[in-house]
Amino acid sequence: MLLCRVLSRPRLPLVHLHRSLSVRSFIQPRRLIKFAVGTTLLAGTGFISYTIYESGPEIEKIRRTSYFWSRMIPVYLHYRYQQLYFKLFPAKSPEEEDEIWNKLHNKYCDYVLNVILHQRGVYIKLGQIASTRPDIIPKPYLKKFAQLQDGVPAQPGEYAREMIEQAFNKPLEEIFSEFNPKAVGAATIGQAHEARLKGSNKAVIIKIQYPEVQRLFGLDFSTLKKFVRLAQPEHAPLFDEFEKAFQIEFDFRREARALDIIGRNIMPRFPNIIIPRPTPGMATEFVIVMEKLDGTKLIDALKIEQARMAAEQGKTLEEFEQEMMAKYLSGELHREAKKRYTPSAFIVNMYASLIRTVNRLKNVYIYIYNHSIVPLLKRFPLEYNEERVFINPHEIIDLLNEVHAQEILLDGIFNADPHPGNIFLLKNGKIGLIDFGQVQELSLSHRLKLAKLIVLLAEGTKEEIVQQYISMGVVTRHMNPYVIEKLARLGFDRDDPETCEGKNAQLFFEELSRKDEVIKVPEGYLMAARVGILLRGLGTWLQLPHSTAQKWAPIAKQLLNTYKDTNEQLLTSPA
């Protein structure tokens, strides 16, 4: 994501920064152009040499780091040069300025996507995160990076067969009665295939990890750290925490254990949640077999719903998405959602049950018609009505927040990646949760401190919030109470226009960093904050913006009440 953040930086301040950084199209001094080209070449060569010197003798290390720097430094410098040029020669209007930036974005978006696909690994992971952040990434990049969610090129079926047979030391036909050689999905660290177990004929999903990916992750994070220190040094502490979090994805035996533990923790308490069960004895470091869920990805269901809404308004899907994105960036989507009536979970479920009943009755009629009238009168058969997937916004948001608060605060083991691509709307009306590679664990001490912060964010004073967040380990250069309180809210409460004082969250975070640089983020809490941020983003798109602290406070109070006699030092000492 940080790769893309640099590219997005000029676009973000559509009103504030762009007005001060613009250019008159008729002024193009040759000296400045020559200076930019020369600087690009010299800096690119210098960084390549520096990286090769720092990277050691390994040929692959040199090749990958050189490839990255030689291609990205010219792009980075072109954007920075354009910013400097805009400062010297302001534009006639914000529209002219936006047009120039968009030309630059369109020039490089395919180029940067190709760099990501060439490097794979961590670059794809960060690109996937970036593709979910319209408040950070310019639209041309956003559209290109969306391909990284489910359009990453997969390895051929023979590669998958070889990995499976190597993992289980058996021919594939002795394990599975059916195997789809075409991957149903490919992402950062591997790909997935559909199959059926031999004997039981049970439908399963096989996840296969690319063996080289773990080694490349360490190398690529090292490269990206240098780039971050150059381009966005204020984000280096966050990037360090992300590196620790991503390193746990590489052993599928750990994911199998997490699926088992979290499944046993959550499903008895939440009957409307389904977590796929790992197949016993079929998890190795690089291959895992698990139950297949029958349903639709929430992200796909949202696209279908958006297409329906666009058609009702007489717009194309692209026009509708542009309008929604503009509202999201301006904060209007938050304001509209607060005013708009959204049917309760009960009403949506009643409506869905009615529609399903009607469709089933229609299908009974179609069945009778197709097997009686059609053969007698030689008519064309009718098509059956497909089962419609209903999106119940209140149920989805409330249930997902309750489930993840339970995982984080009460159980101390949680999935840190609940984005819409990992949430399924199942045909039986339940919600399925998949991809437990990024599972984190929190000690009791960490959970008690976080629970107290959650309650204070929901009900406490600013002074109490600042004191608690400092006790959790946050460090800024000047320890500004205003900045510390806002950082706590952005992480575990809200990032709406009211909290961000009319700015989008990214711009507001950068403003906080300028006021008081973040030296250290509380260790161990970043991925818990990520869960809240992902669910708030989902809530905004479902027209249900919400406060993480308000949603999680009841469970936080439950934890604190259970351990009310615990030594206060657990709550106040640094994490």
Side-chain angles (χ1 to χ4, degrees), residues 156-176 178-181 191-195 204-209 282 284 286-289:
E158 283 304 313
Y159 174 89
R161 171 185 285 270
E162 182 181 338
M163 287 293 298
I164 294 168
E165 292 181 342
Q166 183 178 339
F168 299 123
N169 199 27
K170 290 180 181 178
L172 186 139
E173 288 75 15
E174 291 186 16
I175 310 171
F176 304 104
E178 294 179 23
F179 173 74
N180 184 355
Q191 60 195 54
H193 292 260
E194 295 174 324
V204 293
I205 291 291
I206 311 168
K207 285 178 63 175
I208 301 162
Q209 184 183 143
M282 300 195 74
T284 70
F286 299 117
V287 178
I288 180 174
V289 181

Side-chain angles (χ1 to χ4, degrees), residues 456-474:
L456 291 174
L457 286 166
E459 304 172 358
T461 66
K462 291 181 179 180
E463 291 75 17
E464 290 173 323
I465 293 167
V466 170
Q467 182 180 358
Q468 180 62 18
Y469 206 37
I470 290 173
S471 78
M472 292 168 66
V474 70

